[in-house]
Structure formats: structure tokens, C-alpha cells
Amino acid sequence: MAVPRTRAYRAAAVALALCASLAGCGGGASATAEAGSGDEAGSGSGSGDKVTLRFTWWGNADRAARTEKAVAAFERAHPGIRIQTSYATYDAYKQKLATQAAGSDVPDLIQLDYRQISQYAGAGVMLDLARQRKELPTGEMDPKMLRTGQVGGVQYALPMGVGTQTVAYDKAAWRAAGAKAPRAGWSWQDWVRALREVKKEHGPHVMTDPGAAEDQFEIWLRGRGKQLYGRDGQLAFSAKDLARWWSFTSALRKEGLVSPATDTTQMSGSVEDAPMGRKRSTAEFNWDAPSAGYEAMYGDRLAIAPTPTGEDGTYGQYYKPSMLLGISAGSEHPREAAQFIDFLLNSDKAADILGVDRGTPVNSTQRRRVLSHVTGFQKQVAGLQTSLRGKLEPPPAAPPRGDNGLQSTFQRDYDQVSFEKLSPREAAEQFVTEARAELRP
């Protein structure tokens, strides 16, 4: 998931680059419990001979509550294992994980974004899950989705759910403006016309500026029949393509349709401090399940819809792993860690607790069970995915090593555009030069 990348995220790239340059950056093990040693990280106070596993993830309060409930259910079923949990907002989590990798202190269980898998697997941080094949059955998982957790044919992580990009919006504000609701098959020009209608009623800054988000550039690019990366792991688009995207979003910003630079540069990876979360816009691009974070602010006014298509109706969005879960290569308890992953992905109990919080279940049996009884906003997520079935292309191969850091470069270069320090063309040429250097074999 993920929400648009921000300044806070850039520190993560620095720490991760450090990690990649260090020998022995393969991740540290979580200590077994030591009775009477206190309740600090890895201590497992009062747990006797229990194995303690560290599990960290990003998310909001609702995800935390569901995750803790699932952890408690696992611990009841496996009394010899204790799961020590922690979570943070997206950017803070990624920065912390990069720092842990650089210090060889990676948690046993690691939640990763699709764009991180090549970076961490390539740095030797992740365990080859074939070693735990017995504890991790994958027969009911879509092979196309399983491949998203592979690097060089090796399965380093498993998808925790299936998600797709979306437009989250305040349907009451759009209805009051008489604007057409976002819908499947709407084009980018349809989107612009709708923003203009809402602006007449709502005022400026109808939508959060998507220009800084590589995720949204990818959707726009795919809708034009192009890709971010080729099979060789190099850029598959030109500076001209990127300049066209940034010229498009800059024109929207100058027209007052999307957020000003002063709003978008304050984002730190959570919906709460994004413009829509602060009610400084009425709509925002995000991923489907994480859009639940807006519900606290908008209640039943919150709605989600597919992202715009290319002018010929080509969908740029795609199903992807909402996130991936793997095991540290340095974990002292890979078998127990695999048992926990199996519980989260394949058990009835975990599926009932988690619902579609991390996307619709990747296990086909659990997906059918969960989608038959979800309610509230989770029902919207399920409905969106069902409506797009058969319309979206399979997910592209995992982005190459280097993309993780380039997301922050993308944000930084667009900042120069939004503050009018560089033209879209100058910034695009600068990014492409930087990207080619970063992706050099």
C-alpha cells in the first residue's frame, strides 16, 4: 500500500541503501523468551519455554485491533509460541525496517510492500520459503499472485491479500455538486470534468494532487499501453512520458482542482494527515482496503471507485498483493514463523477476524467465505474487486532493486515541479537520469 510517498519516507531509502552496502545485512534473529527478563522486545517475560516471534507491520488502529485479535487466536491454538507485535504508519514502518536491516535486527516476520520485495530479498534479508514448504501450503493461492513474492524464481514472501488501486471520495460532496460519481470505465478526462463540477460547489482543491505518487503515474502509464519497467529491470518509459504526466497534474494544480504543494508535502503516509483525511480535499487516490482509514472522518459518506482508464478504455490499475509477508533469513524459529503465516493466510479463524482489512484473502476458499458475509466498508472493497473481475491485467513482475528508493526520488523531483522550481520537462529528465543510475546492473 500504499498512500503517496512523502518526505518522511526518504530517510528509509538512505537507511536501506546503507543496508545493501553492508556485509551480513541478512537480518537478525528474534531471541527466544527468557523467563524473568522483563517485558522488553524479545524478552517474553513469564512465558517459560515459549518461543517468541517478533512481527511488525504498517497500518491504522482498525488493522491493529484486528491483527491483535488474530494473534491472540493463534497463541491460543499454539500455546508454545508468543507473537510480539508492533506497528506504525506506512512511512515510519518502512524507515524503521530499513534501519533494522542495516543493524542486522530484522523481526522474524516481515510485512513488505510489493515494491520492497526485490530490495530486501536481494540484500539477503529474506528466507527462501521453500525451506518451510511443509508448514506453508499454497495450493489454494493464485499462481499469478504467488509470483509477486518471488525474486529470481525463489519464493521469499507470500501475498497476504489481493488489492487494487481506487479513488476514495466523499459521495455526499460530489452528489451535492451534481457531479457524476466515479465509475468503472471513466477516463482521465471524465475525471477532470467531474473535478470541475465539484469545484463549483465545494471550492478549490477538490482532490489530492496525485503527481508525486509513482503508483498513480504507473496507472496513467499503463492506461496508455506502457509500463514502468521492462523485463530487464530498466525503465520502460521516457522522460517525455513523465513530463506529460507532470504537465497534466501541474495544470490541474494551477486550475485549483488538486491540492497545493503545501498540503501534499505534509503527508507522512497515513490517511489522517493526507488532505482528504484533514478534509482539505474531497477525494484521493489510494488502495482499496487501506481506504478504510477515511471511514473515521466520513462515515457512510465514504465511497470508493475504480481509477480512470486510458482514453481507449484500457485499465491501468491491476490486482496486486495488498502486502507480502516473509520470514527473516536470520530468524532462529523459521518453522514457528511459517506456522503463523499459514494461520493468517489459510485458517478460517484468521479469515473471519481479518476480513478484507489486508485485501481480499489470497486463499480462494477463504475468499469465498469472507466475501459472502462482509459488511460496511469491507463490503465496498469486496464489491469493487468483484466488479473488476476479468477487466484487469495480471500484476507486473516485482519492481527491480532500486525502485524502493526511486519512489522517494519521484516525490522529491515532483516537489520541485509543484513549488515551481523546475519545469515538468526539467524534473522528468532529472528523474530519468537518476533512475538509470540507480538501476544500473
Side-chain angles (χ1 to χ4, degrees):
M1 164 209 165
V3 291
R5 275 64 180 182
T6 63
R7 292 179 185 277
Y9 175 59
R10 295 168 195 170
V14 175
L16 194 53
L18 174 62
C19 168
S21 68
L22 294 175
C25 188
S30 175
T32 53
E34 296 176 355
S37 62
D39 199 28
E40 297 302 315
S43 68
S45 175
S47 59
D49 295 325
K50 285 185 179 181
V51 164
T52 297
L53 301 173
R54 293 161 59 203
F55 173 38
T56 63
W57 73 94
W58 71 85
N60 53 31
D62 178 65
R63 177 173 295 168
R66 290 175 182 273
T67 303
E68 293 295 349
K69 190 174 180 181
V71 165
F74 174 81
E75 290 179 334
R76 286 193 296 273
H78 299 79
I81 304 175
R82 175 182 179 243
I83 307 295
Q84 184 183 77
T85 63
S86 67
Y87 81 101
T89 60
Y90 182 67
D91 284 350
Y93 171 83
K94 295 180 81 170
Q95 181 176 350
K96 181 178 180 180
L97 181 60
T99 302
Q100 288 172 321
S104 297
D105 187 34
V106 176
D108 298 87
L109 294 141
I110 312 167
Q111 181 175 294
L112 295 173
D113 181 69
Y114 182 45
R115 297 188 181 282
Q116 293 175 290
I117 183 67
S118 295
Q119 193 80 39
Y120 280 97
V125 174
M126 309 296 293
L127 181 74
D128 177 355
L129 296 183
R131 301 180 187 181
Q132 302 300 324
R133 187 177 289 112
K134 183 179 179 181
E135 288 80 24
L136 286 173
T138 59
E140 294 193 74
M141 299 180 188
D142 183 347
K144 294 176 183 175
M145 293 306 297
L146 283 176
R147 284 198 291 271
T148 63
Q150 297 175 4
V151 176
V154 177
Q155 194 81 47
Y156 287 105
L158 297 179
M160 296 191 74
V162 179
T164 190
Q165 302 94 334
T166 188
V167 178
Y169 68 104
D170 179 351
K171 62 183 179 183
W174 283 54
R175 189 182 300 121
K180 290 183 179 180
R183 62 201 180 280
W186 66 324
S187 69
W188 287 97
Q189 290 308 312
D190 292 333
W191 173 64
V192 173
R193 283 190 286 269
L195 295 185
R196 287 175 177 150
E197 287 297 313
V198 179
K199 182 186 174 186
K200 292 176 184 177
E201 176 72 23
H202 181 272
H205 314 151
V206 175
M207 187 154 187
T208 301
D209 186 352
E214 189 189 58
D215 288 346
Q216 303 313 320
F217 172 58
E218 181 180 30
I219 292 172
W220 180 84
L221 198 62
R222 286 168 59 89
R224 300 171 71 88
K226 299 186 178 184
Q227 302 282 340
L228 275 182
Y229 298 106
R231 292 184 178 180
D232 59 356
Q234 300 301 303
L235 294 184
F237 64 90
S238 66
K240 185 177 180 179
D241 293 319
L242 181 54
R244 185 176 291 118
W245 166 249
W246 280 344
S247 294
F248 174 51
T249 57
S250 292
L252 297 176
R253 189 180 61 258
K254 291 174 181 178
E255 191 178 340
L257 298 178
V258 299
S259 302
T262 50
D263 277 0
T264 54
T265 54
Q266 292 180 25
M267 298 168 67
S268 67
S270 69
V271 297
E272 290 80 9
D273 65 8
M276 185 178 171
R278 292 184 287 128
K279 297 192 174 181
R280 293 180 63 82
S281 71
T282 68
E284 204 158 273
F285 289 111
N286 204 325
W287 295 89
D288 49 6
S291 294
Y294 302 109
E295 194 169 19
M297 288 75 81
Y298 291 90
D300 61 8
R301 293 164 55 188
L302 176 65
I304 55 175
T307 60
T309 68
E311 293 306 311
D312 64 354
T314 300
Y315 282 87
Q317 68 184 105
Y318 54 90
Y319 288 125
K320 69 176 278 289
S322 53
M323 56 204 67
L324 297 150
L325 187 58
I327 301 171
S328 165
S331 175
E332 293 180 1
H333 309 291
R335 178 175 175 274
E336 290 82 358
Q339 289 176 330
F340 180 60
I341 294 177
D342 175 53
F343 176 82
L344 290 182
L345 302 188
N346 297 321
S347 73
D348 291 356
K349 177 65 74 173
D352 289 342
I353 294 170
L354 298 175
V356 299
D357 177 71
R358 284 180 166 87
T360 57
V362 68
N363 177 300
S364 57
T365 297
Q366 299 306 336
R367 185 184 307 115
R368 288 191 294 271
R369 288 183 66 258
V370 167
L371 297 189
S372 68
H373 63 260
V374 291
T375 60
F377 182 76
Q378 292 202 344
K379 191 170 184 178
Q380 288 200 56
V381 174
L384 175 72
Q385 292 201 14
T386 300
S387 72
L388 292 170
R389 193 168 294 152
K391 297 179 180 178
L392 306 186
E393 293 294 321
R401 290 186 65 181
D403 175 75
N404 194 44
L406 286 176
Q407 292 170 59
S408 57
T409 304
F410 195 93
Q411 163 84 45
R412 184 200 67 206
D413 288 349
Y414 187 67
D415 284 351
Q416 298 295 304
V417 176
S418 59
F419 280 108
E420 300 186 0
K421 303 294 185 182
L422 291 176
S423 70
R425 179 177 178 177
E426 290 169 334
E429 290 175 348
Q430 176 174 291
F431 176 81
V432 167
T433 298
E434 293 169 317
R436 286 173 176 163
E438 181 69 24
L439 297 170
R440 186 178 297 124

